[in-house]
Amino acid sequence: MKLPRAWRQPLAITGGVIALAWFVIALSAPLLAPHDPLAQELPRLAPPGPGHWFGTDQLGRDILSRVMYGARLSIPLTLLLVAMSVLVGGLLGAISGYFGKWVDETIMRFADLVFAFPTVILAMVVAAALGASLANAVLAVLVVAWPAYARVTRGLVLGVRQREFVLSGRLLGFSAWRSLRVDVLPNVTGPILVLATLDIGTALLLLSGLSFLGLGAKPPSPEWGAMVASGVEVFDSWWVAAFPGLAILTVVLAFNFLGDTLRDALDPRTARAIKERAL
Amino acid sequence: MSIKRPPAPGDDPKAARREPGRRGARSPLARFLVRRVLTALLLAVGITLVTFVLTNLVPGDPVAANLGQRALGDPAIVAQWRTEHGLDKPLPEQYLLHLRGVVQGDLGTSQQSHRPVLDDLADSVPATLELAGAAILISIVVGVAFGVVAALRRDRFSDHLLRVLSLFGISVPTFWLALTAFYVLFYRLRIAPGSGRIDPGLTPPPHVTGLYTLDAALAGQWDVFSSAVGHLVTPALVLALYTIGLLTRFTRSAVLEVLGQDHVRAGRAKGLPPRVILFRYVLRPALVPVITVAGLAFGSLLSGTVLVEAIFAWPGVGQYAYKSATTLDLPAVMGVGLVVGGVYLVINLIVDVLYGVIDPRVRLS
Amino acid sequence: MTLAISDLKVTLGGREILRGVDLELRAGQVHGLAGESGSGKTMTGLAVLGLLPHGARVSGRITLGERDLLAMTPRQLNAVRGGEVAMVFQDPATSLHPMLTIGRQLTEHMRHHMRLDRRQARARAADLLRQVRIPGAEEALGRYPHQFSGGMRQRIAIAVALACSPKVLIADEPTTALDVTVQAGILRLLRGLCDDLDLAVLLVTHDLGVMSAVADEVSVMRDGVVVETGPRAQVLRDPAHPYTRALLDSLPGETS
């Protein structure tokens, strides 16, 4: 799992720097932002210029400040979302793989059904049914996100379960729970980590997509997807939608750069293919 | 939302059940198809159940979403509305009624449009299929080509460039890209036509398939055809960008994996021309995992239509789903779920059949 | 002399893997190439066909008749590969294309190299399968590799190699991946084909037992050079080089 060499490449470094920059912005938005993100104190729909480098929206709010404060919403919520997906999906997958039989059948068929729907449509229905709010949007994305982890964890647990040290633990009379926690868990964390890193981008895209549709964050809130949506109404003033969109793009890109590098570093298949240079 | 790992090109999918030298009495392909269709039917019932449960067990109240404030205050009107829409019966009975309706081709009446859901869907599904179909075609052609180039030029400049480009493709928010494309190509540069499926001055072609491009071509209305193609290009490209990125990455790793396999070296030892090695020995086995991903990518395209159709005013399922979800129009939502799940099943079936066509080990086991 | 390798050197990633290999193959004779793994015997075989890994640098001469294979353009070399020089690989489970019928794999290079039409190529393919003793040759043409056992697959791979009537056959550990019970059959087949078709065979193997069963000439490789060459009886019974002796001594019950 040591990969200092693999990380020493432009893609990973670029991704790391961008992600780090966004963390800094999110943490210190109150210090960095030139204006109050909710204050309607500037001329309306002013193009980017001195005093408001990203322009202002139709209510005279500073877009730069709103984009910065948006990081405080989107980034922690996305991380929380992925963490919850890992937890829920991982737990269900582990139970499924460990106990097998009808437990496995029930959980995995359910996962299949969720997979049968396009993510946005399912999440949209769930979000609409729960009522539009950012918290419900997170729940909706969670509903569509967990099966991926359940599948991966189940597969890994099935593989590990048959190994000798797990079997011998059971023979020694350790409880199922104990062997799941002590023997199985440490062996599945690596691959799950890769999946989760790659998933941060997807989760943010989905979450901001729901807000864009009006099923997530509510108006004054400086959520990026909702900001793009408000830009649709005044798309003549391109800056209203452009900058929050770029914010989403850069965050997603940063995590995809990191995740892609991580996958290359951990995926034995790719590694093997690189070794055997054939054509 | 993550893509499940496709089978490796060299994996023998049914290795355990392999029986050397034996063939079934009936056509193996026919049995393979029957088995797939049965599984698909089972999943179809599951889909109706999930859409039903989902739309009923959640706290949103369709009565509140559909009746005005004043009507809500009158218990008689509320009760009448509930009876009208069958909401007064117990849930299992509602489900069975719903299922019977589905089998008879009755998906209920939309509470929004007051038209049969089936009619609404008949109008919107072809529009989305045209858009998503064009996007998946573009994605497969471009994505596979990019992936092959990246694999063959591994670690050189073009490989690195394609890697960054494909990561960009999977990172761009679709809704924002749609808006930006609309603004730049239509509003600023005026090189793309505006929203909708054809120019407003034209009459849609006679309805045959519902796909305007195809129908116009069949009717020989070339002005309508070129207008329909023109309107299709921009939203299809916007939709395709994500799947192009996805397919480029997967094709690259699949081709790299096959390149390292013995049979490729053996093929070269036979002195076959490089073109034959590339297509028959490398690309064909590599296509097996690529097809899986292309099938899954189609699902993400359908997701994308919800966001893209809104911007381009494309009268498809995405917009219909959005309207019905936000108004909690239950029959419409269930109809969309059924259609979308059905599309998923058909795509899966196509993917499975293509597996069988490409890899005899699937077909003959 | 059909094929002569002289002073063959191969460098890969800064390491010299072959350090001046000399070998001579004669028509109608099996030349065994022995040595432990990593000694460079497989690389020698691959170098003849120009199939070395990406980035390998080669020098020396590999002459087939009057022509130097190493000086050929890729196009010229491609005409020789599968035509005059053919190869059988170690594991028939992976070296045959899993998705093409046996008939297709037997005929595709025939049609390319020998310009046969479909019917002629199929007829010859069936003949070849009979020659390597595959039962039901006609029917076997329509089947796929996974429908055959390991030994049968290797016979098919040999038939594929023989399809364009090569002068030289390079067999890289052709029995290593097979069950012990079918190894002898494959070796007998190779020996018989060598005699009947007047082939020059290079049999690469780490197994001296295999060697003593079929080889006419034996070369022993170590660290990228051939340390000893000679007739089988002489090399195996009276080895001149201490390394050969050590190899033989490590075989239980094979000395004497």
Side-chain angles (χ1 to χ4, degrees):
Chain A
M1 285 280 286
K2 268 184 249 156
L3 17 119
R5 216 218 176 83
W7 287 107
R8 243 177 282 141
Q9 39 161 302
L11 214 56
I13 294 170
T14 314
V17 168
I18 299 177
L20 200 68
W22 274 114
F23 280 123
V24 170
I25 291 174
L27 284 174
S28 47
L31 300 174
L32 291 173
H35 295 276
D36 179 338
L38 302 179
Q40 307 175 8
E41 57 191 18
L42 294 168
R44 294 180 179 190
L45 294 175
H52 37 80
W53 293 105
F54 283 7
T56 65
D57 65 9
Q58 54 267 62
L59 295 173
R61 295 173 297 198
D62 178 39
I63 291 177
L64 174 62
S65 307
R66 288 176 66 75
V67 166
M68 285 177 159
Y69 271 89
R72 292 168 80 82
L73 272 174
S74 299
I75 292 175
L77 270 182
T78 306
L79 295 180
L80 177 77
L81 177 57
V82 173
M84 290 199 312
S85 316
V86 170
L87 214 65
V88 173
L91 201 64
L92 286 174
I95 291 172
S96 196
Y98 199 87
F99 294 103
K101 305 209 181 81
W102 65 269
V103 180
D104 183 28
E105 276 298 309
T106 315
I107 295 177
M108 292 328 286
R109 289 298 79 77
F110 203 70
D112 284 348
L113 282 176
V114 175
F115 259 116
F117 289 91
T119 48
V120 173
I121 293 183
L122 182 59
M124 189 173 72
V125 172
V126 176
L130 293 173
S133 80
L134 201 48
N136 286 345
V138 171
L139 274 182
V141 178
L142 178 62
V143 167
V144 298
W146 69 269
Y149 296 94
R151 280 195 176 170
V152 172
T153 320
R154 174 180 174 272
L156 293 168
V157 169
L158 276 181
V160 174
R161 194 173 69 144
Q162 302 304 330
R163 295 212 203 131
E164 278 170 27
F165 62 94
V166 179
L167 287 175
S168 60
R170 306 254 354 222
L171 287 176
L172 288 172
F174 293 137
S175 72
W177 172 245
R178 187 193 176 278
S179 60
L180 196 62
R181 190 168 44 87
V182 178
D183 297 330
V184 178
L185 203 60
N187 286 292
V188 302
T189 40
I192 290 288
L193 191 72
V194 179
L195 190 59
T197 315
L198 285 168
D199 225 20
I200 291 176
T202 330
L204 178 55
L205 286 180
L206 205 48
L207 199 60
S208 55
L210 286 179
S211 285
F212 171 80
L213 291 173
L215 293 167
K218 284 275 150 211
S221 140
E223 201 279 338
W224 293 333
M227 289 170 72
V228 175
S230 75
V232 177
E233 299 153 18
V234 290
F235 81 91
D236 206 5
S237 312
W238 56 270
W239 55 90
V240 179
F243 292 109
L246 282 174
I248 302 172
L249 170 61
T250 47
V251 174
V252 176
L253 200 61
F255 282 105
N256 278 338
F257 278 0
L258 287 173
D260 205 59
T261 312
L262 194 61
R263 177 174 51 194
D264 273 2
L266 284 182
D267 191 345
R269 260 207 218 152
T270 325
R272 185 157 36 105
I274 288 169
K275 247 185 257 158
E276 296 166 10
R277 293 156 171 269
L279 206 81
Chain B
M1 35 192 207
S2 294
I3 298 304
K4 68 179 169 188
R5 171 114 244 165
D11 288 352
D12 186 342
K14 300 272 154 61
R17 275 191 276 150
R18 210 195 279 163
E19 287 173 44
R22 250 187 62 186
R23 291 177 95 171
R26 274 184 299 153
S27 156
L29 191 61
R31 269 189 301 156
F32 169 73
L33 278 177
V34 166
R35 205 168 56 223
R36 289 305 316 173
V37 169
L38 282 179
T39 327
L41 279 179
L42 219 65
L43 198 57
V45 175
I47 284 168
T48 61
L49 193 62
V50 165
T51 33
F52 183 82
V53 169
L54 206 66
T55 44
N56 278 282
L57 292 190
V58 289
D61 185 358
V63 184
N66 278 280
L67 292 179
Q69 268 314 325
R70 284 227 335 260
L72 274 176
D74 185 342
I77 295 182
V78 172
Q80 194 209 337
W81 195 88
R82 293 187 73 90
T83 322
E84 230 170 69
H85 293 91
L87 296 179
D88 54 338
K89 303 201 174 66
L91 278 182
E93 197 182 331
Q94 279 188 45
Y95 174 68
L96 287 179
L97 281 174
H98 169 64
L99 202 59
R100 196 179 68 188
V102 168
V103 173
Q104 293 167 347
D106 174 15
L107 299 178
T109 306
S110 161
Q111 293 153 10
Q112 274 289 300
S113 66
H114 302 289
R115 297 173 60 206
V117 171
L118 203 62
D119 292 0
D120 281 350
L121 288 174
D123 287 347
S124 55
V125 167
T128 295
L129 282 186
E130 185 168 42
L131 181 55
I136 196 75
L137 280 183
I138 295 171
S139 312
I140 290 175
V141 171
V142 178
V144 169
F146 278 3
V148 169
V149 169
L152 295 182
R153 319 236 81 211
R154 180 184 43 211
D155 292 340
R156 309 227 206 130
F157 177 73
S158 36
D159 180 25
H160 293 303
L161 183 71
L162 284 172
R163 181 178 187 184
V164 172
L165 283 182
S166 57
L167 287 173
F168 253 95
I170 59 169
S171 303
V172 179
T174 311
F175 54 92
W176 177 77
L177 182 67
L179 186 64
T180 309
F182 193 77
Y183 177 80
V184 173
L185 298 179
F186 168 67
Y187 192 75
R188 282 281 149 189
L189 302 179
R190 303 225 160 255
I191 52 174
S195 51
R197 296 179 73 186
I198 44 170
D199 292 334
L202 294 169
T203 340
H207 183 92
V208 184
T209 57
L211 312 179
Y212 280 11
T213 48
L214 199 60
D215 286 354
L218 286 176
Q221 301 174 341
W222 299 110
D223 53 332
V224 179
F225 177 77
S226 70
S227 174
V229 170
H231 279 258
L232 188 58
V233 169
T234 318
L237 279 176
V238 167
L239 259 183
L241 195 70
Y242 181 86
T243 35
I244 287 175
L246 212 62
L247 286 173
T248 302
R249 297 296 290 152
F250 271 98
T251 307
R252 177 184 182 273
S253 67
V255 168
L256 278 184
E257 170 124 12
V258 176
L259 279 179
Q261 286 173 356
D262 265 2
H263 76 263
V264 176
R265 199 173 57 177
R268 297 172 68 215
K270 286 163 83 176
L272 296 169
R275 180 176 36 85
V276 173
I277 297 290
L278 178 62
F279 283 98
R280 199 179 293 162
Y281 278 69
V282 177
L283 210 49
R284 181 164 169 182
L287 277 183
V288 171
V290 169
I291 282 173
T292 320
V293 175
L296 291 167
F298 196 80
S300 80
L301 278 179
L302 288 181
S303 278
T305 57
V306 177
L307 302 161
V308 172
E309 284 178 3
I311 305 273
F312 288 94
W314 195 267
V317 183
Q319 286 224 65
Y320 187 65
Y322 173 64
K323 273 182 224 144
S324 357
T326 43
T327 55
L328 288 178
D329 184 350
L330 294 190
V333 169
M334 281 194 274
V336 169
L338 212 58
V339 163
V340 158
V343 169
Y344 170 90
L345 290 181
V346 171
I347 295 294
N348 256 342
L349 207 62
I350 293 175
V351 166
D352 279 344
V353 170
L354 284 180
Y355 264 7
V357 170
I358 292 182
D359 191 344
R361 290 169 297 177
V362 176
R363 176 170 13 120
L364 299 174
S365 63
Chain C
M1 191 196 327
T2 313
L3 186 92
I5 299 174
S6 56
D7 199 28
L8 178 67
K9 290 181 180 157
V10 171
T11 329
L12 183 63
R15 248 187 75 221
E16 201 165 50
I17 291 175
L18 298 185
R19 304 182 295 142
V21 172
D22 299 287
L23 275 181
E24 293 181 353
L25 306 188
R26 288 189 176 74
Q29 292 207 344
V30 173
H31 193 121
L33 185 57
E36 55 196 14
S37 55
S39 60
K41 51 191 195 313
T42 295
M43 281 296 164
T44 308
L46 291 176
V48 175
L49 283 165
L51 291 177
L52 289 169
H54 204 71
R57 284 215 309 276
V58 199
S59 69
R61 282 171 66 82
I62 302 176
T63 47
L64 177 70
E66 298 299 309
R67 295 159 299 162
D68 184 1
L69 295 181
L70 292 181
M72 284 184 170
T73 65
R75 220 193 158 78
Q76 291 169 325
L77 188 62
N78 231 15
V80 172
R81 288 204 280 238
E84 290 163 87
V85 184
M87 186 149 183
V88 174
F89 291 89
Q90 176 169 348
D91 187 355
T94 56
S95 67
L96 290 170
H97 193 314
M99 301 174 187
L100 298 181
T101 60
I102 303 303
R104 185 77 178 271
Q105 306 201 45
L106 275 164
T107 54
E108 56 179 356
H109 55 316
M110 275 198 258
R111 298 185 61 190
H112 178 68
H113 288 306
M114 301 161 75
R115 310 257 161 241
L116 298 182
D117 65 30
R118 184 185 293 270
R119 208 176 42 78
Q120 293 168 321
R122 252 188 114 74
R124 178 163 166 73
D127 285 343
L128 284 164
L129 286 184
R130 280 189 280 273
Q131 203 166 2
V132 296
R133 297 189 202 96
I134 298 285
E138 290 288 345
E139 198 218 356
L141 287 177
R143 281 157 56 180
Y144 293 90
H146 74 274
Q147 295 172 314
F148 293 89
S149 68
M152 285 293 161
R153 277 185 219 154
Q154 195 61 299
R155 286 170 187 270
I156 292 165
I158 291 170
V160 169
L162 294 177
C164 300
S165 311
K167 295 187 191 121
V168 179
L169 180 68
I170 295 163
D172 182 10
E173 305 268 12
T175 56
T176 310
L178 304 177
D179 288 345
V180 186
T181 47
V182 299
Q183 287 187 358
I186 296 291
L187 289 175
R188 254 199 311 278
L189 177 68
L190 276 176
R191 179 74 248 182
L193 291 168
C194 173
D195 296 339
D196 296 349
L197 305 174
D198 213 22
L199 285 171
V201 177
L202 179 65
L203 178 67
V204 177
T205 181
H206 68 279
D207 186 341
L208 290 178
V210 165
M211 198 73 79
S212 66
V214 286
D216 299 303
E217 296 269 321
V218 172
S219 292
V220 179
M221 274 188 86
R222 185 191 191 187
D223 293 339
V225 282
V226 174
V227 293
E228 180 163 8
T229 274
R232 173 187 60 187
Q234 185 197 320
V235 174
L236 294 184
R237 227 169 257 158
D238 184 19
H241 196 277
Y243 177 68
T244 315
R245 206 169 299 138
L247 269 187
L248 287 168
D249 286 345
S250 67
L251 281 175
E254 284 286 345
T255 44
S256 73

